[in-house]
Amino acid sequence: MAKELLEAGFITTMPITDQKLYKTLLPKIAEYLDGNAEVIQTAVREHFLAQHCKAGLNESLFNTHFSPKRSGIQSGFTCDVVNGTQTVQSNVKSIKPPDTKELFVYKLLHHIGIGPEVQFIIPSHGTKKTIYIATKDCHLVLLSKLTKDTVSNDALLEMDLVSRILCLRDCTTNPSNCGQVSERAMVVDFRIEKQSHCYAKPDILHKFYDGNSEFEYSGLMAVAVKSPNSVKMEIMKKSLQKWNLLDSIDSAALEVAQLVQRCDGKMLFDNDLDKYVKDLKATVQVLMES
């Protein structure tokens, strides 16, 4: 966007004669606009309208409504997309700079049934450093709203396990970022913890058995991670079989690689996904051999 603003002669009426200052200011303005509500909503509207028209639906039936996001660690919007017959709600946030690991985790969680359907929206204008993520509403009951009568111990242990495998934080420790859909575990927001050397966890089973030390759980999660090791082992075996993790990792990684290829210079990614995937597979192998 900075280049476009320069070419358009943006702020030429302002008394800025120093071209170095001029070229310094414009990228900062463009970066600000990436997070501007109107800019985000325009990009999201264009994305869903394109899908609407591609499906052969009448453009006059299309509409969107935006409202502030109700929960989560990152600010954003909820977007109701109306196509004439139904309304679908998505939660929209921006990530800057776009990290292929984060995109991968969203895809992987959906593949294994622990995350909502997700779409990545590439703005047609901007700094090439911001991407918008739309996650479809899944009628989540937040962990903060669950009680001892409605919680599934298995679901909480699955979320604990997947958080350890993927090095996730602000997930199971944040009751506004995870919960249940019926009795099924669901994660809707997270961050990936930076590692000094690698993401592989050769001691993962010991940490899974140990329970609370790494995450400092409270409430229902603290109760769940006190389950006997025999229960945790059974959950781990069932989860690995159900998730088909190695194949799911490959599928999610391929989708992200294809996205990066389609962008072809339109977006600047932080991309160390290959190392992350390699380390995750090493962790999964440890669990499979346990």
Side-chain angles (χ1 to χ4, degrees):
M1 179 176 285
K3 181 180 178 182
E4 295 166 359
L5 293 173
L6 279 169
E7 291 174 349
F10 186 68
I11 64 172
T12 53
T13 57
M14 294 180 66
I16 299 179
T17 57
D18 187 336
Q19 289 300 306
K20 289 184 179 179
L21 176 60
Y22 189 68
K23 291 179 180 180
T24 299
L25 284 175
L26 290 184
K28 294 183 180 298
I29 294 171
E31 186 173 351
Y32 166 77
L33 290 175
D34 279 345
N36 176 268
E38 185 176 349
V39 172
I40 296 173
Q41 292 175 12
T42 298
V44 172
R45 187 179 297 109
E46 289 176 352
H47 173 84
F48 284 115
L49 176 59
Q51 291 186 339
H52 178 89
C53 296
K54 188 176 181 179
L57 300 174
N58 191 323
E59 184 174 344
S60 65
L61 300 176
F62 176 83
N63 202 356
T64 53
H65 303 285
F66 293 91
S67 56
K69 190 178 174 184
R70 294 188 295 272
S71 62
I73 62 171
Q74 301 193 42
S75 60
F77 305 91
T78 60
C79 174
D80 293 313
V81 179
V82 182
N83 69 5
T85 59
Q86 64 176 344
T87 300
V88 176
Q89 186 175 91
S90 295
N91 293 298
V92 180
K93 72 171 188 178
S94 60
I95 59 171
K96 179 175 58 177
D99 186 340
T100 51
K101 297 191 301 298
E102 185 170 349
L103 307 185
F104 163 82
V105 170
Y106 272 108
K107 285 293 185 181
L108 178 61
L109 290 175
H110 181 59
H111 274 293
I112 66 176
I114 299 187
E117 182 180 338
V118 62
Q119 298 187 52
F120 305 132
I121 300 172
I122 309 297
S124 55
H125 303 285
T127 62
K128 299 184 179 182
K129 297 179 181 179
T130 303
I131 193 170
Y132 308 127
I133 298 179
T135 52
K136 186 177 179 181
D137 181 67
C138 55
H139 307 290
L140 174 73
V141 179
L142 293 172
L143 177 58
S144 59
K145 301 297 184 182
L146 293 171
T147 69
K148 63 180 182 179
D149 296 319
T150 59
V151 72
S152 165
N153 195 68
D154 288 3
L156 298 193
L157 288 176
E158 284 186 10
M159 289 192 291
D160 177 55
L161 179 60
V162 80
S163 294
R164 295 175 189 278
I165 294 172
L166 301 178
C167 304
L168 302 185
R169 294 296 183 269
D170 286 323
C171 175
T172 46
T173 55
N174 187 330
S176 294
N177 286 341
C178 65
Q180 292 175 200
V181 176
S182 186
E183 293 190 350
R184 181 162 55 98
M186 187 63 57
V187 172
V188 296
D189 214 344
F190 57 85
R191 66 177 175 83
I192 301 172
E193 184 180 49
K194 292 183 178 180
Q195 306 292 311
S196 56
H197 299 293
C198 70
Y199 294 92
K201 293 193 171 182
D203 61 346
I204 185 171
L205 189 60
H206 170 73
K207 292 292 184 66
F208 184 49
Y209 282 164
D210 191 37
N212 206 25
S213 60
E214 186 176 353
F215 289 94
E216 299 183 359
Y217 286 134
S218 61
L220 294 172
M221 282 298 306
V223 174
V225 298
K226 291 179 181 177
S227 298
N229 289 352
S230 59
V231 172
K232 292 184 178 181
M233 174 60 80
E234 187 65 22
I235 290 294
M236 187 265 289
K237 288 181 177 179
K238 287 182 178 179
S239 297
L240 291 180
Q241 183 177 14
K242 177 174 61 175
W243 296 341
N244 192 17
L245 259 181
L246 292 179
D247 287 344
S248 296
I249 286 172
D250 285 338
S251 296
L254 177 61
E255 288 185 57
V256 173
Q258 290 172 338
L259 171 68
V260 172
Q261 186 175 26
R262 286 198 306 273
C263 286
D264 190 27
K266 297 177 184 177
M267 184 61 56
L268 301 176
F269 294 94
D270 279 356
N271 192 359
D272 60 343
L273 182 57
D274 288 346
K275 175 175 174 50
Y276 183 60
V277 165
K278 180 182 177 181
D279 289 350
L280 293 187
K281 288 183 175 181
T283 300
V284 173
Q285 198 63 43
V286 170
L287 292 174
M288 291 174 65
E289 293 172 358
S290 300

